[in-house]
Amino acid sequence: MLKLTAELSDALAQAANLILRSKHVVVLAGAGLSVESGIPPFRGPGGLWTKYGEPTNLSYREFLNDPAEWWEARFRDEQRPGDPTFELKVAVDRAQPNSGHDAMAVMEQQGFLQCVVTQNVDNLHRVAGNQNMLEIHGNRTYLRCIDCGARQPREGYHFDSLPPQCAKCGGVIKMDTVMFGEPIPEDVLLACRQQAEICDLMLLVGTSGTVNPAARLPMVAKELGASLIEINPDETTLTSWCDIILNGPSGEILPLLLKRLQKDGPAEPGNRAEML
Ligand code: OAD
Ligand code: ZN
């Protein structure tokens, strides 16, 4: 359990104050947010890539070379203990949003934040109730056509023949999750950049800030005058860019921050249009 020191209490008050003074607050979320839901992160202790090694940038090219073989391997890997695909699937399939996701959803509902840009593919923001959300690395519960970009839920989809083909355009279907070496779908990337450009505050929650283009978004925001707040138990490559650091697990920090916001707001008008 996190100790509410005078230093942390002070930082929470400052963070709440900054949020209440901001007009457009954006979250950039990463795997650390889902750690308390039992999903391993990628880097650091217990990380998937720490354990199994990081995939190469060839992943997407390998898919394009032989999508049918890729899908066959995927179905095998999903059933194979000791494979990172299996490990992630088992963890995500049984995961529920934690108190950090829940607090973030309430922050959106109560107008304290305007958009969540997430690198997580685990669907937990949606389950928690966030609505204005950009999934920069896709969503593992969806499939996507590589030609027309159409998305559909994976559940209930019949893989009658491999590779699966798009009913709309005949293109090849892949997981919606963005692979190493695959460009982010243009519409999503553009929308994420817009959020970085228009926000006056970005909260960096549970991300190591190592994978571009997501990791560049806070820098874009900062260079255009936005403030940055980091929520993370560890230091990251983004820490030195941040104005306020809330040091601790997001499942504990976010509920504390929400409580503080509810106590201090809605005294000032600003970003809480729906509440006024
Ligand atoms: P990482 O695994 O790189 O970083 C996780 C971050 O979460 C680290 O900075 C940890 O210190 C922090 N962390 C750990 N426990 C936490 C907790 N309880 N609360 C808050 N933070 C905690 O994950 P990402 O930055 O999301 O890409 O990684 C970015 C991308 O790399 C992922 O989206 C994935 C991966 O390859 C794709 O799947 C395309
Ligand atoms: Zn298509």
Side-chain angles (χ1 to χ4, degrees), residues 8-53:
L8 177 58
S9 176
D10 212 42
L12 281 164
Q14 280 178 35
N17 188 267
L18 199 51
I19 292 172
L20 292 169
R21 280 194 285 120
S22 301
K23 289 195 171 55
H24 195 94
V25 179
V26 170
V27 165
L28 174 66
L33 175 65
S34 295
V35 162
E36 287 152 279
S37 293
I39 302 177
F42 296 98
R43 299 171 184 80
L48 273 185
W49 305 155
T50 312
K51 204 161 149 189
Y52 296 103

Side-chain angles (χ1 to χ4, degrees), residues 144-150 165-173:
R144 171 165 47 85
C145 168
I146 62 169
D147 286 338
C148 74
Q165 283 185 331
C166 176
K168 288 197 178 128
C169 78
V172 171
I173 286 182

Side-chain angles (χ1 to χ4, degrees), residues 4-131:
L4 189 57
T5 59
E7 195 188 350
L8 177 58
S9 176
D10 212 42
L12 281 164
Q14 280 178 35
N17 188 267
L18 199 51
I19 292 172
L20 292 169
R21 280 194 285 120
S22 301
K23 289 195 171 55
H24 195 94
V25 179
V26 170
V27 165
L28 174 66
L33 175 65
S34 295
V35 162
E36 287 152 279
S37 293
I39 302 177
F42 296 98
R43 299 171 184 80
L48 273 185
W49 305 155
T50 312
K51 204 161 149 189
Y52 296 103
E54 192 154 329
T56 69
N57 260 347
L58 296 176
S59 307
Y60 187 51
R61 186 169 300 174
E62 281 162 11
F63 173 82
L64 293 179
N65 280 347
D66 194 343
E69 159 56 25
W70 186 92
W71 273 107
E72 275 162 22
R74 173 81 188 196
F75 295 139
R76 273 197 312 269
D77 293 347
E78 282 182 348
Q79 306 295 326
R80 191 161 65 190
D83 189 283
T85 307
F86 172 84
E87 195 175 316
L88 196 58
K89 180 173 162 43
V90 170
V92 177
D93 281 352
R94 58 173 170 232
Q96 290 299 319
N98 64 55
S99 42
H101 293 102
D102 291 342
M104 205 180 271
V106 175
M107 281 171 73
E108 183 189 328
Q109 283 148 18
Q110 299 191 344
F112 296 118
L113 79 85
Q114 280 58 52
C115 180
V116 175
V117 174
T118 188
Q119 297 163 88
N120 299 346
V121 300
D122 56 27
N123 201 42
L124 293 180
H125 295 282
R126 289 184 198 229
V127 178
N130 277 107
Q131 299 208 331

Side-chain angles (χ1 to χ4, degrees), residues 26-29 117 119 136 192-193 195-197 199-205 207-230 236-239 241-243:
V26 170
V27 165
L28 174 66
V117 174
Q119 297 163 88
I136 190 167
C192 291
R193 287 218 179 105
Q195 288 298 322
E197 284 165 14
C199 74
D200 47 5
L201 174 60
M202 192 178 274
L203 297 177
L204 316 178
V205 183
T207 179
S208 63
T210 44
V211 174
N212 284 324
R216 272 199 295 271
L217 297 172
M219 290 159 195
V220 170
K222 182 85 183 176
E223 274 163 7
L224 293 172
S227 305
L228 302 179
I229 298 176
E230 181 168 68
T236 73
T237 50
L238 298 169
T239 307
W241 290 69
C242 292
D243 301 278

Side-chain angles (χ1 to χ4, degrees), residues 235-253:
E235 205 170 293
T236 73
T237 50
L238 298 169
T239 307
S240 62
W241 290 69
C242 292
D243 301 278
I244 299 173
I245 293 147
L246 298 172
N247 211 231
S250 47
E252 297 191 61
I253 296 281

Side-chain angles (χ1 to χ4, degrees), residues 126-185:
R126 289 184 198 229
V127 178
N130 277 107
Q131 299 208 331
N132 195 11
M133 215 182 24
L134 294 165
E135 294 164 315
I136 190 167
H137 292 161
N139 182 317
R140 66 185 287 284
T141 68
Y142 280 82
L143 303 169
R144 171 165 47 85
C145 168
I146 62 169
D147 286 338
C148 74
R151 289 182 179 81
Q152 61 187 308
R154 177 171 172 181
E155 196 172 300
Y157 182 84
H158 293 290
F159 292 88
D160 298 325
S161 62
L162 292 181
Q165 283 185 331
C166 176
K168 288 197 178 128
C169 78
V172 171
I173 286 182
K174 69 181 285 289
M175 295 286 295
D176 182 42
T177 310
V178 174
M179 292 174 173
F180 276 83
E182 178 186 0
I184 309 285

